[in-house]
Amino acid sequence: MQPNMYAPQAQRTWHQHFCCWCGDCDAQGWGSCCLSVFLPFIPFGWNRQRAFAKHGLLWGLAFFVLWLANILVQSLAREEHCEWDDDFNRDCESRPTVVGGILIAAFGIGLIALGYKNRLDLRARFGIEGNPSYPVTDLLLWICCSTCALCQETRTMMHNQVENGLWAGPAGMAQVVVTGKPAPGQGGSQYPPAQPSFEAPALVVAQQNLDGTSEYDRKLAV
C-alpha cells in the first residue's frame, strides 16, 4: 500500500508504552504479547522481514540459536552445592558452573546486542521519534526487559501495517492516506484531498495546443 505523497506525515512513534504488553487487549495485542513471551524468535524475524523485506529468516534464526542456547545452558550447566547446618540438616541448591555462567553471559549479551541493533535499525528506517538519549534508553530497555521491547516493536509493525519496508499507517487511516477520503465510519478527515502533480509526465497530462492537438500528437506528426 503506497502512502500519499501529498498527505502530511504524522510524527511516528512506538505504538503505546513498552509496559503495555498486551496493547489494547485485542487479538493483535494478545498475539504480539504471547509470541514475544513464548516464541520471541518468530516476531523478531517477522518484524525484520516486514521492515526491510529481506533477511528476516536469518535474523530470526540467529535470535533462535542464541535464545535456545541460553535456555539449555541455564538448564544443563549446573552443579549441586550442599551445606550442613548445626543440626546436621543438609541444605542443597543448584547453581550454574563457572563455564555455564560465562556461556549464559555470552549468549545473553548476544541476544541484547542483536535486539538493540534491530531496534535502532527500525528507528532509522521509519524515522521513529525518541528522546535525545534514546540510544541509551533503548539499550537499557533491551537489557532490563527484552520482552517489553520486542512486544512494543511487534505492536508497532502490526498497528501501522508495515509490509515490504512500507509504513502504511493505522488501519483506520490507510484509506485516508491513499485516497484523501475518510475511511467508513470515520467522518471527516484531517488530511486534504490529493492534488495532481505540477510536474506530471508529458504522456499522462499533455499540453493542449490552440488547434486542439496535444503536444504528444504534434511530436508524432513531426
Side-chain angles (χ1 to χ4, degrees):
M1 184 176 293
Q2 295 286 349
N4 180 359
M5 62 183 292
Y6 300 100
Q9 296 295 325
Q11 191 178 52
R12 291 173 176 174
T13 60
W14 298 115
H15 182 55
Q16 300 179 327
H17 196 268
F18 60 80
C19 288
C20 299
W21 280 31
C22 298
D24 296 321
C25 293
D26 53 4
Q28 184 183 93
W30 281 106
S32 61
C33 176
C34 291
L35 285 175
S36 299
V37 171
F38 299 108
L39 299 170
F41 53 90
I42 293 179
F44 186 83
W46 188 33
N47 292 344
R48 190 75 188 185
Q49 183 65 32
R50 288 167 72 117
F52 298 94
K54 60 181 180 179
H55 305 321
L57 180 61
L58 293 178
W59 280 71
L61 182 61
F63 194 95
F64 171 74
V65 170
L66 292 172
W67 172 78
L68 183 61
N70 204 337
I71 292 177
L72 292 177
V73 170
Q74 290 187 50
S75 302
L76 302 178
R78 308 182 71 87
E79 58 186 6
E80 194 175 67
H81 289 262
C82 298
E83 296 180 354
W84 297 87
D85 59 18
D86 295 337
D87 296 328
F88 299 100
N89 294 318
R90 189 183 183 191
D91 184 20
C92 298
E93 63 177 350
S94 179
R95 300 176 184 175
T97 63
V98 174
V99 175
I102 295 174
L103 291 177
I104 290 173
F107 292 138
I109 292 173
L111 279 174
I112 292 171
L114 196 65
Y116 175 59
K117 173 66 167 60
N118 185 64
R119 190 174 179 90
L120 292 183
D121 288 347
L122 293 177
R123 279 193 185 274
R125 173 73 176 181
F126 299 113
I128 297 175
E129 297 293 330
N131 57 54
S133 60
Y134 73 82
V136 177
T137 55
D138 283 351
L139 177 59
L140 291 176
L141 180 58
W142 263 96
I143 291 175
C144 299
C145 188
S146 58
T147 304
C148 301
L150 185 56
C151 278
Q152 186 184 53
E153 294 161 12
T154 305
R155 281 198 314 272
T156 302
M157 297 296 103
M158 296 174 68
H159 178 74
N160 292 286
Q161 304 182 91
V162 177
E163 290 288 350
N164 297 320
L166 298 177
W167 180 293
M173 300 302 295
Q175 184 174 346
V176 175
V177 173
V178 174
T179 66
K181 300 178 182 179
Q186 292 293 324
S189 169
Q190 61 175 320
Y191 297 110
Q195 300 296 325
S197 172
F198 292 103
E199 298 180 359
L203 294 180
V204 177
V205 181
Q207 298 293 330
Q208 297 293 326
N209 295 325
L210 294 178
D211 59 357
T213 305
S214 69
E215 181 71 8
Y216 178 66
D217 292 336
R218 188 179 64 81
K219 289 180 178 180
L220 289 179
V222 174

